[in-house]
Amino acid sequence: MATPPISPEPEEEEEARELLYEAYNELQALAAELGGAAVPAPAVVVVGHQTDGKSALVEALMGFQFNHVGGGTKTRRPVALHLRFNPRCDEPQCRLVAGADGDDDAGVAGRPMPLADIQAYIEAENLRLENDPCQFSEKEIIIKVEYKHCPNLTIIDTPGLILPAPGRKNRVLQTQASAVESLVRAKIQHKETIILCLEDCSDWSNATTRRVVMQVDPDLARTVLVSTKLDTKIPQFARSSDVEVFLHPPTCVLDVSLLGDSPFFTSVPSGRVGSCHEAVFRSNEEFKKAISLRESEDVASIEDKLGRSLTREEKERIGVSTLRLFLEELLRKRYIESVPLIIPLLENEHRNATRKLREISQEISDLDKVKLKEKAQLFHDSFLTKLSLLLKGMVVAPPDKFGETLINERINGGTYTGSENFQLPNKMMPNAGMRLYGGAQYHRAMAEFRLVVGSIKCPPITREEIVNASGVEDIHDGTNYSRTACVIAVAKARDTFEPFLHQLGFRLLYILKRLIPISVHLLEKDGECFSSHEVLVKRVQAAFQRFAEATEQSCRERGMEDLESTTRYVTWSLHNKNRAGLRHFLDSFVAPEQLSVNTHTGYAAAGLHDQSSGSNDSRQDRPKGDLKSNHSSDSNSSGTVQETRLVDLLDSTLWNRRLVPSSERLVYALVHQIFHGIKEHFLVTTELKFNCFLLMPIVDKLPALLRQDLESAFEDELDNIFDVTQLRQSLGQRKRELEIELKRIKRLKEKFGEINKKLNSLQVRQ
């Protein structure tokens, strides 16, 4: 961008500028009253590292001191100076908007404060934050200043960037550096801002502050580069060629696309203004004179180093005053360029205000109980329509405003965690990072419930639990391990799954309650609201919450009944679905016993075979009676072995209360099998219960309930819903406010039209 010409403005142009600033003042005041800014005023954000001299440069640009200046981190909160041109103020008139009185509304002026009190307040805030764990705050200290020597603009002094040393011992400082950098990036990301990038270096290859600025403004298209502390850098140059490179950095080091085509070079005299013995300047006038003297000395020092006189273009880059003139001209052009954009915006505001006034007038004429009742019924039907669409699925409501990621949903609606605080990672959940609402969010919550509960394993079983669950039967003192397994399984299943039932109910109830504000937003977006809209919303919201809470409690009680029945009596056809797996498990620990018995029997048979072979008797020579007798002997032997195994099994289980490994494994297998059956049944029945007895009543029973509630309100509490007298007064007050607003917008539109004509005529003359 070419350098704006610095020349005295003609009288007509000065008059047009004053008119433009006054119009902007009125526009910003109106925008603040309406709750928003129609067109943001041009702003300059000062960015630099610690001790680069940001605050000192801002004070020099303004011509008066207000901030806490010194070594280290002195600015811990952004300081926003909202400057307003006022030819009647010979001295700065300051008001603290956000600060000592706790008023954080930038649109409402605070109490007037002298500069000394403002400086004391800023120092106190910096000291407070220095002892605070956060160290920094993104909340701005907003100061409004009226002065005859300043244009309409906002200058924001940000906390200094930090370059921490590496290493784990510097983690605290590294965290602070990251926080400050994020804060600064947020302040400079707005496209209408001008970035004042300060670099305290004598070599332009060191892009310390530019590294952060270029993350937001890669081409430096809206960045003014300033080299501070020029008076300390000049003595560092030994040759005139070094000074030339410093004043005119080559394009390979610094691209010329930045605002002003080249950097500015400034020096600010050290010392504070005040009456104490430490003060260097007794008044702001002395401070401004010292700034002017410092500029002259810097120019002389550079010319002495170069051995030549500086050109006019070079002088226009040295000193605070030249930087101020450049910024004023730049901001003036920004103001002028925005004028044609403001006029259509004001026309749109004028149309909106006219439409609102017409609607208010129509409502005043329709203040009849019959018509109000019809409107309430229309509101009721529209609300139910929006609620149904949200459950079925829609994309009209903005996800960034109403949607929730899984992390936010867990924070606000609770998590699915059991006795061991088990929780699935987000990456295992589909759509975990998406901002969902309505039916999609309900479906995701149910899917997470299935995944979490379905992945739960049977809790560990101790030997003490097995022995304690064995007890004594009412007719013998043997051990019934099937009963033992059932006792352990149902107890652990009840303790494991009951918390999930309550957590699911709380989560789904939270998701359903979120439908109310989203439905109201859709009603407002479609213009289906009227004067008693808020009263009806509160009534519908209260009725919906009562119905949803009662329905969820009833549904949860049904689920508890199922869980209690499933964990009170074991039905093997229900709890033992995977019999093949259980059989395989049991075979795995009875196989060694079978192998031992089979091996013993095989050895005995082999011995008999050897004896018969040794006698040279052939099988064919044996009588049939002998073969039959031999077969009968084998059968008797096998039966004897089976009886022996049965006796051994009874001895190790029923007759012996000593817990042997085989008995322990048997109980483990049965407990895991029963627990798995309960889990599968719990998952299926719980999901079915909540879909049938929580979700479906919202769809098919809620409309009738809300309609009944509305009808009862019409019969018994009509005055509580429609206070016609109060409604007429409030509508009349709103109508008067709209009429005043319409007149102000009309006056502003005419004023900006006049400014636009005057500026166009000046351009034609030039």
Side-chain angles (χ1 to χ4, degrees), residues 683-700:
L683 267 176
V684 173
T685 57
T686 301
E687 183 175 2
L688 189 62
K689 286 287 189 299
F690 276 91
N691 286 337
C692 292
F693 299 109
L694 177 62
L695 180 62
M696 293 310 298
I698 299 294
V699 176
D700 51 26

PDB file of all heavy atoms in Angstrom, residues 683-700:
ATOM      1  N   LEU A 683     -29.477 -55.210  28.506  1.00  0.00           N
ATOM      2  CA  LEU A 683     -29.273 -54.292  27.382  1.00  0.00           C
ATOM      3  C   LEU A 683     -30.519 -54.213  26.505  1.00  0.00           C
ATOM      4  O   LEU A 683     -30.990 -53.121  26.160  1.00  0.00           O
ATOM      5  CB  LEU A 683     -28.072 -54.754  26.549  1.00  0.00           C
ATOM      6  CG  LEU A 683     -26.717 -54.165  26.885  1.00  0.00           C
ATOM      7  CD1 LEU A 683     -25.628 -54.800  26.031  1.00  0.00           C
ATOM      8  CD2 LEU A 683     -26.713 -52.662  26.664  1.00  0.00           C
ATOM      9  N   VAL A 684     -31.049 -55.362  26.150  1.00  0.00           N
ATOM     10  CA  VAL A 684     -32.191 -55.385  25.237  1.00  0.00           C
ATOM     11  C   VAL A 684     -33.424 -54.755  25.878  1.00  0.00           C
ATOM     12  O   VAL A 684     -34.089 -53.898  25.291  1.00  0.00           O
ATOM     13  CB  VAL A 684     -32.484 -56.835  24.790  1.00  0.00           C
ATOM     14  CG1 VAL A 684     -33.773 -56.896  23.973  1.00  0.00           C
ATOM     15  CG2 VAL A 684     -31.321 -57.388  23.977  1.00  0.00           C
ATOM     16  N   THR A 685     -33.738 -55.185  27.105  1.00  0.00           N
ATOM     17  CA  THR A 685     -34.961 -54.694  27.743  1.00  0.00           C
ATOM     18  C   THR A 685     -34.863 -53.211  28.101  1.00  0.00           C
ATOM     19  O   THR A 685     -35.858 -52.479  27.987  1.00  0.00           O
ATOM     20  CB  THR A 685     -35.255 -55.508  29.009  1.00  0.00           C
ATOM     21  OG1 THR A 685     -34.124 -55.434  29.909  1.00  0.00           O
ATOM     22  CG2 THR A 685     -35.535 -56.950  28.669  1.00  0.00           C
ATOM     23  N   THR A 686     -33.677 -52.742  28.527  1.00  0.00           N
ATOM     24  CA  THR A 686     -33.537 -51.338  28.909  1.00  0.00           C
ATOM     25  C   THR A 686     -33.714 -50.424  27.708  1.00  0.00           C
ATOM     26  O   THR A 686     -34.438 -49.422  27.770  1.00  0.00           O
ATOM     27  CB  THR A 686     -32.161 -51.095  29.562  1.00  0.00           C
ATOM     28  OG1 THR A 686     -32.036 -51.931  30.710  1.00  0.00           O
ATOM     29  CG2 THR A 686     -32.010 -49.639  29.973  1.00  0.00           C
ATOM     30  N   GLU A 687     -33.060 -50.746  26.602  1.00  0.00           N
ATOM     31  CA  GLU A 687     -33.227 -49.927  25.405  1.00  0.00           C
ATOM     32  C   GLU A 687     -34.680 -49.935  24.938  1.00  0.00           C
ATOM     33  O   GLU A 687     -35.233 -48.896  24.551  1.00  0.00           O
ATOM     34  CB  GLU A 687     -32.303 -50.431  24.296  1.00  0.00           C
ATOM     35  CG  GLU A 687     -32.364 -49.571  23.040  1.00  0.00           C
ATOM     36  CD  GLU A 687     -31.350 -50.000  21.994  1.00  0.00           C
ATOM     37  OE1 GLU A 687     -30.623 -50.990  22.220  1.00  0.00           O
ATOM     38  OE2 GLU A 687     -31.282 -49.325  20.939  1.00  0.00           O
ATOM     39  N   LEU A 688     -35.293 -51.103  24.977  1.00  0.00           N
ATOM     40  CA  LEU A 688     -36.693 -51.195  24.563  1.00  0.00           C
ATOM     41  C   LEU A 688     -37.601 -50.389  25.491  1.00  0.00           C
ATOM     42  O   LEU A 688     -38.507 -49.680  25.036  1.00  0.00           O
ATOM     43  CB  LEU A 688     -37.115 -52.666  24.544  1.00  0.00           C
ATOM     44  CG  LEU A 688     -38.483 -52.967  23.940  1.00  0.00           C
ATOM     45  CD1 LEU A 688     -38.526 -52.559  22.472  1.00  0.00           C
ATOM     46  CD2 LEU A 688     -38.806 -54.449  24.098  1.00  0.00           C
ATOM     47  N   LYS A 689     -37.350 -50.453  26.796  1.00  0.00           N
ATOM     48  CA  LYS A 689     -38.172 -49.715  27.754  1.00  0.00           C
ATOM     49  C   LYS A 689     -38.073 -48.214  27.512  1.00  0.00           C
ATOM     50  O   LYS A 689     -39.087 -47.503  27.489  1.00  0.00           O
ATOM     51  CB  LYS A 689     -37.725 -50.045  29.180  1.00  0.00           C
ATOM     52  CG  LYS A 689     -38.125 -51.420  29.678  1.00  0.00           C
ATOM     53  CD  LYS A 689     -39.607 -51.495  29.972  1.00  0.00           C
ATOM     54  CE  LYS A 689     -39.965 -52.792  30.675  1.00  0.00           C
ATOM     55  NZ  LYS A 689     -39.664 -53.989  29.886  1.00  0.00           N
ATOM     56  N   PHE A 690     -36.868 -47.686  27.344  1.00  0.00           N
ATOM     57  CA  PHE A 690     -36.713 -46.241  27.190  1.00  0.00           C
ATOM     58  C   PHE A 690     -37.251 -45.762  25.844  1.00  0.00           C
ATOM     59  O   PHE A 690     -37.769 -44.640  25.758  1.00  0.00           O
ATOM     60  CB  PHE A 690     -35.247 -45.840  27.359  1.00  0.00           C
ATOM     61  CG  PHE A 690     -34.847 -45.663  28.790  1.00  0.00           C
ATOM     62  CD1 PHE A 690     -34.329 -46.713  29.523  1.00  0.00           C
ATOM     63  CD2 PHE A 690     -35.007 -44.435  29.424  1.00  0.00           C
ATOM     64  CE1 PHE A 690     -33.973 -46.557  30.849  1.00  0.00           C
ATOM     65  CE2 PHE A 690     -34.651 -44.266  30.744  1.00  0.00           C
ATOM     66  CZ  PHE A 690     -34.136 -45.334  31.465  1.00  0.00           C
ATOM     67  N   ASN A 691     -37.144 -46.569  24.816  1.00  0.00           N
ATOM     68  CA  ASN A 691     -37.719 -46.159  23.537  1.00  0.00           C
ATOM     69  C   ASN A 691     -39.249 -46.165  23.579  1.00  0.00           C
ATOM     70  O   ASN A 691     -39.900 -45.268  23.033  1.00  0.00           O
ATOM     71  CB  ASN A 691     -37.231 -47.086  22.425  1.00  0.00           C
ATOM     72  CG  ASN A 691     -35.794 -46.824  22.039  1.00  0.00           C
ATOM     73  OD1 ASN A 691     -35.277 -45.730  22.266  1.00  0.00           O
ATOM     74  ND2 ASN A 691     -35.124 -47.814  21.485  1.00  0.00           N
ATOM     75  N   CYS A 692     -39.817 -47.173  24.254  1.00  0.00           N
ATOM     76  CA  CYS A 692     -41.276 -47.306  24.268  1.00  0.00           C
ATOM     77  C   CYS A 692     -41.943 -46.408  25.298  1.00  0.00           C
ATOM     78  O   CYS A 692     -43.037 -45.881  25.046  1.00  0.00           O
ATOM     79  CB  CYS A 692     -41.663 -48.765  24.541  1.00  0.00           C
ATOM     80  SG  CYS A 692     -41.223 -49.896  23.204  1.00  0.00           S
ATOM     81  N   PHE A 693     -41.306 -46.247  26.466  1.00  0.00           N
ATOM     82  CA  PHE A 693     -41.973 -45.576  27.567  1.00  0.00           C
ATOM     83  C   PHE A 693     -41.373 -44.217  27.921  1.00  0.00           C
ATOM     84  O   PHE A 693     -41.814 -43.598  28.888  1.00  0.00           O
ATOM     85  CB  PHE A 693     -41.963 -46.483  28.798  1.00  0.00           C
ATOM     86  CG  PHE A 693     -42.673 -47.783  28.580  1.00  0.00           C
ATOM     87  CD1 PHE A 693     -41.966 -48.974  28.494  1.00  0.00           C
ATOM     88  CD2 PHE A 693     -44.048 -47.816  28.429  1.00  0.00           C
ATOM     89  CE1 PHE A 693     -42.620 -50.175  28.273  1.00  0.00           C
ATOM     90  CE2 PHE A 693     -44.713 -49.016  28.209  1.00  0.00           C
ATOM     91  CZ  PHE A 693     -43.999 -50.200  28.121  1.00  0.00           C
ATOM     92  N   LEU A 694     -40.361 -43.752  27.175  1.00  0.00           N
ATOM     93  CA  LEU A 694     -39.860 -42.385  27.346  1.00  0.00           C
ATOM     94  C   LEU A 694     -39.931 -41.603  26.048  1.00  0.00           C
ATOM     95  O   LEU A 694     -40.498 -40.502  26.006  1.00  0.00           O
ATOM     96  CB  LEU A 694     -38.412 -42.402  27.861  1.00  0.00           C
ATOM     97  CG  LEU A 694     -37.760 -41.013  28.014  1.00  0.00           C
ATOM     98  CD1 LEU A 694     -38.515 -40.176  29.043  1.00  0.00           C
ATOM     99  CD2 LEU A 694     -36.299 -41.145  28.416  1.00  0.00           C
ATOM    100  N   LEU A 695     -39.378 -42.177  24.980  1.00  0.00           N
ATOM    101  CA  LEU A 695     -39.361 -41.464  23.705  1.00  0.00           C
ATOM    102  C   LEU A 695     -40.752 -41.391  23.086  1.00  0.00           C
ATOM    103  O   LEU A 695     -41.204 -40.314  22.665  1.00  0.00           O
ATOM    104  CB  LEU A 695     -38.385 -42.141  22.748  1.00  0.00           C
ATOM    105  CG  LEU A 695     -38.253 -41.511  21.363  1.00  0.00           C
ATOM    106  CD1 LEU A 695     -37.739 -40.085  21.466  1.00  0.00           C
ATOM    107  CD2 LEU A 695     -37.341 -42.341  20.473  1.00  0.00           C
ATOM    108  N   MET A 696     -41.446 -42.518  23.020  1.00  0.00           N
ATOM    109  CA  MET A 696     -42.745 -42.532  22.354  1.00  0.00           C
ATOM    110  C   MET A 696     -43.802 -41.674  23.059  1.00  0.00           C
ATOM    111  O   MET A 696     -44.595 -41.013  22.383  1.00  0.00           O
ATOM    112  CB  MET A 696     -43.247 -43.980  22.206  1.00  0.00           C
ATOM    113  CG  MET A 696     -42.406 -44.823  21.252  1.00  0.00           C
ATOM    114  SD  MET A 696     -42.121 -43.998  19.669  1.00  0.00           S
ATOM    115  CE  MET A 696     -43.792 -43.849  19.069  1.00  0.00           C
ATOM    116  N   PRO A 697     -43.861 -41.611  24.395  1.00  0.00           N
ATOM    117  CA  PRO A 697     -44.816 -40.690  25.021  1.00  0.00           C
ATOM    118  C   PRO A 697     -44.583 -39.228  24.663  1.00  0.00           C
ATOM    119  O   PRO A 697     -45.537 -38.451  24.596  1.00  0.00           O
ATOM    120  CB  PRO A 697     -44.601 -40.932  26.521  1.00  0.00           C
ATOM    121  CG  PRO A 697     -44.116 -42.334  26.610  1.00  0.00           C
ATOM    122  CD  PRO A 697     -43.274 -42.528  25.396  1.00  0.00           C
ATOM    123  N   ILE A 698     -43.327 -38.849  24.420  1.00  0.00           N
ATOM    124  CA  ILE A 698     -43.054 -37.475  23.978  1.00  0.00           C
ATOM    125  C   ILE A 698     -43.716 -37.222  22.627  1.00  0.00           C
ATOM    126  O   ILE A 698     -44.181 -36.120  22.328  1.00  0.00           O
ATOM    127  CB  ILE A 698     -41.531 -37.228  23.888  1.00  0.00           C
ATOM    128  CG1 ILE A 698     -40.869 -37.408  25.259  1.00  0.00           C
ATOM    129  CG2 ILE A 698     -41.220 -35.853  23.333  1.00  0.00           C
ATOM    130  CD1 ILE A 698     -41.272 -36.403  26.285  1.00  0.00           C
ATOM    131  N   VAL A 699     -43.798 -38.275  21.821  1.00  0.00           N
ATOM    132  CA  VAL A 699     -44.365 -38.129  20.482  1.00  0.00           C
ATOM    133  C   VAL A 699     -45.888 -38.195  20.497  1.00  0.00           C
ATOM    134  O   VAL A 699     -46.564 -37.362  19.875  1.00  0.00           O
ATOM    135  CB  VAL A 699     -43.788 -39.213  19.544  1.00  0.00           C
ATOM    136  CG1 VAL A 699     -44.434 -39.136  18.173  1.00  0.00           C
ATOM    137  CG2 VAL A 699     -42.273 -39.064  19.431  1.00  0.00           C
ATOM    138  N   ASP A 700     -46.456 -39.161  21.238  1.00  0.00           N
ATOM    139  CA  ASP A 700     -47.901 -39.387  21.096  1.00  0.00           C
ATOM    140  C   ASP A 700     -48.742 -38.917  22.279  1.00  0.00           C
ATOM    141  O   ASP A 700     -49.949 -38.722  22.140  1.00  0.00           O
ATOM    142  CB  ASP A 700     -48.183 -40.872  20.825  1.00  0.00           C
ATOM    143  CG  ASP A 700     -47.498 -41.783  21.832  1.00  0.00           C
ATOM    144  OD1 ASP A 700     -47.244 -41.338  22.961  1.00  0.00           O
ATOM    145  OD2 ASP A 700     -47.211 -42.943  21.480  1.00  0.00           O
TER     146      ASP A 700
END
